[in-house]
Amino acid sequence: MRTFAIMDGSFIQQYRDRKYGMNQDDKLNPDDRDFVTALASGLEVLQAFDQNSPRMTLSEVAAKTGMNRAKARRFLLTLHALDYLKKQHRHFELTPKVLQLGHAFLSVNRYGTMIQPYLEDMTRQINESTSLGILDGDEVVYIARSAAEHRLMAIQLSVGTRLPAAYTSMGRVLLAQLSAAELDTFLKQVRLQAHTERSIVDSDALRQVLEEVRVQGYAIVDQELDSGLRSVAVPVFDKQGFLLGAINISTNAARVDMKTLQERFLPLLQEKAGLIRMAVH
């Protein structure tokens, strides 16, 4: 579960496609002459720092990225010179400057700010946490959130938090929007694991669930990521039908039963998704 994100997933790709007239076939392969390997390696070093590894030595970065020590050292020192990393004795860690990368995305995609009041209104009505997320690879990234007073998970969820898409309601709603080819690729590459005894660990079973989500237009995930965590999500679109992401309500299973989730929370989400569609363009 990471909170630092360089967001470049399928929905950001859709944004670039619409803005610049590009399509997925324009994406470079690593062996293409225009592919800048050094840039890719530098970003890989940045992304190596996460909640589990906030401070690392040169050797630890080299081991985590699979680079040799000399290569990892050059990237670490360059990122240190650019103020993206700070160095204390043998250890490196991220600086606040990396937030500029995520801030640029949020600034361009101002719909996150526009959707925030709808999230806050739901939290006021039901006293539960609500969020807006997008898909980035096999993770869902939080780009707006309204937190209730009670805490749901061991970690503090916030803008930039990344969770496995296969085990979250927002992730499943977004995965259900993928094309058949994109979904096939995802299911072949994703690493399914048992976070709880309820977690789906079979790709065929997950495919079936995602098909149900696509047909019904919403997803409910009951304690598959964290025991006691229950959530419901729906997709959100703009006036032109462009997929913006997904919004969800997350709650504690001991406090909110499935009937309440389906009969009260789901209609509220659907109502807000409709209002967002009319407001965002």
Side-chain angles (χ1 to χ4, degrees), residues 129 142 152 167-171 218-223 228-233 248-253 258 261 265 269:
S129 296
Y142 285 68
L152 295 173
Y167 298 105
T168 60
S169 58
M170 288 194 296
Y218 67 90
I220 291 177
V221 175
D222 186 17
Q223 305 179 75
L229 178 64
R230 179 176 285 164
S231 65
V232 56
N248 86 333
I249 297 172
S250 51
T251 187
N252 188 286
M258 291 293 289
L261 202 72
F265 290 3
L269 274 174

Side-chain angles (χ1 to χ4, degrees), residues 13-22 108:
Q13 182 66 44
Q14 288 182 32
Y15 171 81
R16 289 202 301 263
D17 292 351
R18 186 171 67 166
K19 184 173 181 180
Y20 301 112
M22 298 172 63
V108 171

